[in-house]
Amino acid sequence: MTHPLPHSTRAGVYERACAVMPGGVNSPVRAFGAVGGNPPVVEAASGSIVRDVDGREWIDYISSWGAVILGHADPGVVAAVQEATARGTSFGLLTEAEVALAELVVDMVPSLDMVRWVSSGTEATMSALRLARAATGRDHVIKFSGCYHGHADSFLVAAGSGAATHGTPDSPGVPDALAGLTLLARYNDLNSVALAFEAEPIAAVIVEPVAGNMGCVPPETGFLEGLREMCTEHGSILIFDEVMTGFRLAPGGAQELFGVLPDLTTLGKVIGHGVPAAAYGGRADLMSLVSPAGSVYQAGTLAGNPLAVAAGLCTLQRLAAEPEIYDEIERHSARLEDGLSDAIVALDIPARVQRVGSMWTVFMSDMPVREFADTDAADLDAFARFFTAAYEDGVLLPPSAFETAFTTSAHEDDTVEHTIDVLTRALDRAWT
Ligand code: KE4
């Protein structure tokens, strides 16, 4: 991997960062607040390896929070973006490439008739919510405690008191009146969803079809199907937030894997392979309500950006044409799960691995995590010790117990075996 010589030390860059950027980072989790210490300052990455400005290297399982499913600096993606860059970085006008990518996405994702490009997962989910409210004429929406859908006001809500809990702001700056339009239900608990449906006319239910923002929590059998039935019964819009699961769990995402079709889908991360791109889409009758075809307003200067579209086309064409990529990632992820689960038994420690495909989390609890409240049983201090021991030994996990690790096609057999060795030692250190 060739890269310019480090221009500064990690400490020096982070000190400068804190002087001009809140918390020294541009997204909170990057500050390593949950695990302590100062964050790394990345110089470059390639394949499964990330290198910081001090020349230290880690096997990376953050994987740009799931975006780089083919590994960092994938040669095909780099070449595609370089070639697109030479033709201009942005036009603010229609290009054929963004049409080709839309056609590919509609072909790959089972429930999509049409799609609209945006530049972040937050834009995708906030737009899908506006569309659902417009389509139904209703204001209230249901989300699940522990699920994260980006930072739009309607999603930054915490469970209030009471059975069908009307949300209360989970951040300063979110108006009570808006937060109260979001009702909180419990993941994998259809009764809590039924209560919310009884409380208000519901525009939409938005759900991570595999939860990845409370750690990896799979949907239990019947959960997604139950949401589908309730939304159909009440004339509400079912939104699958597949920003994390889209194109990762299968070419058609979680909706292909589980065979449940939402009305709207939000996508991000893999869709641009790390270049800012996201999308929302779904049934033609809904998407035709979006401006300028319809009257639901949504816009974006860099939507369908040529560089992001070039990266996305290269990535999704590969994933569509080479399904064996998923088989390989599944094999490596299953090996990681088995190796770590064996280590947990051998060490006799209260920990467990939860995994769906290439999304996995090591919980510092031996109790199954099936909804957000179950994470209370996890020992966050033990996770911080586990993370730090792994980090010091060359494996970079997501720096929070409430995140998901991501395996990519660049994580090869030897890398996986070495990871198991490192994480086994880290588990031991976390509990001794
Ligand atoms: P962005 O606005 O960050 O592109 O996407 C928001 C989003 C929406 N939906 C789901 C299911 C997501 O996981 C995300 C963003 N995921 C986090 C990681 N848990 C991004 C990392 C960060 O916030 O820095």
Side-chain angles (χ1 to χ4, degrees), residues 12-151:
V13 172
Y14 187 58
E15 185 179 352
R16 286 166 42 211
C18 289
V20 290
M21 300 174 340
V25 291
N26 287 303
S27 201
V29 70
R30 303 178 191 174
F32 276 36
V35 294
N38 287 340
V41 177
V42 175
E43 174 75 20
S46 178
S48 64
I49 301 299
V50 161
R51 173 177 293 179
D52 80 351
V53 292
D54 295 333
R56 297 184 307 170
E57 293 188 342
W58 292 270
I59 300 170
D60 176 32
Y61 288 95
I62 298 174
S63 305
S64 182
W65 302 99
V68 294
I69 193 169
L70 300 175
H72 291 290
D74 173 78
V77 172
V78 169
V81 174
Q82 286 174 331
E83 192 271 333
T85 302
R87 288 189 280 111
T89 55
S90 175
F91 315 114
L93 295 167
L94 177 63
T95 64
E96 182 179 5
E98 72 196 84
V99 178
L101 185 54
E103 290 168 335
L104 180 55
V105 166
V106 165
D107 183 53
M108 289 176 74
V109 182
S111 67
L112 295 193
D113 297 331
M114 301 184 81
V115 69
R116 165 61 63 88
W117 298 119
V118 293
S119 300
S120 73
T122 295
E123 267 195 282
T125 56
M126 64 185 275
S127 305
L129 210 56
R130 180 180 308 134
L131 175 56
R133 284 170 162 155
T136 60
R138 304 171 186 170
D139 294 338
H140 289 83
V141 299
I142 298 170
K143 78 172 288 288
F144 294 87
S145 295
C147 285
Y148 177 70
H149 304 292
H151 64 86

Side-chain angles (χ1 to χ4, degrees), residues 33 197 389 425:
F197 268 110
R425 289 196 294 272

